[in-house]
Amino acid sequence: MDMPVKPASPGTTAFFVQAAISFGVALVAVCVAIVYLPVNGWVRAFFALGLLYTVTSAFTLAKCVRDRQEDRNLVSRVDQARLEKFLAEHDPFKVETT
């Protein structure tokens, strides 16, 4: 029986680093913009809370997408194992006797 095939990695280390740096730069840029915005403290606090809500929502959405993809991969592997079992047990030259 063949060893299970490990799914390919969705990205390289360089891609992960680029995404992390991009996220960090964007977050710092928006935080600096909120700090230097020419408005009173209440408006800054409102924007800061909006930014925090957006960031946490983005992480939650990313986790949900990842979980859904992992569930699909698991179902796909189970279906593949069933198909392999069926094909291994199937003998096209076997004569049925009744």
Side-chain angles (χ1 to χ4, degrees), residues 11 13 16-17 26 36 45 55 85 94-95 98:
T13 303
F16 177 78
V17 170
Y36 287 106
V55 169
K85 180 182 177 193
K94 183 177 179 182
V95 177
T98 54

Side-chain angles (χ1 to χ4, degrees), residues 17 20 23 25 29 37-38 42-43 48-49 51 55-56 59 76 80 82 84 92:
V17 170
F23 175 78
V25 168
L37 197 63
W42 286 105
V43 175
L49 282 176
L51 175 63
V55 169
T56 57
F59 279 108
S76 177
Q80 182 66 30
R82 286 180 183 159
E84 287 176 4

Side-chain angles (χ1 to χ4, degrees), residues 10-77:
T12 63
T13 303
F15 178 75
F16 177 78
V17 170
Q18 179 187 0
I21 290 172
S22 175
F23 175 78
V25 168
L27 186 62
V28 168
V30 173
C31 288
V32 168
I34 289 173
V35 168
Y36 287 106
L37 197 63
V39 294
N40 65 21
W42 286 105
V43 175
R44 275 195 201 105
F46 175 77
F47 284 138
L49 282 176
L51 175 63
L52 179 64
Y53 181 62
T54 301
V55 169
T56 57
S57 296
F59 279 108
T60 302
L61 177 61
K63 181 187 178 308
C64 290
V65 169
R66 184 199 65 206
D67 290 347
R68 180 174 285 178
Q69 182 179 9
E70 286 177 354
D71 287 344
R72 286 184 183 158
N73 287 341
L74 179 63
V75 169
S76 177
R77 286 191 305 231

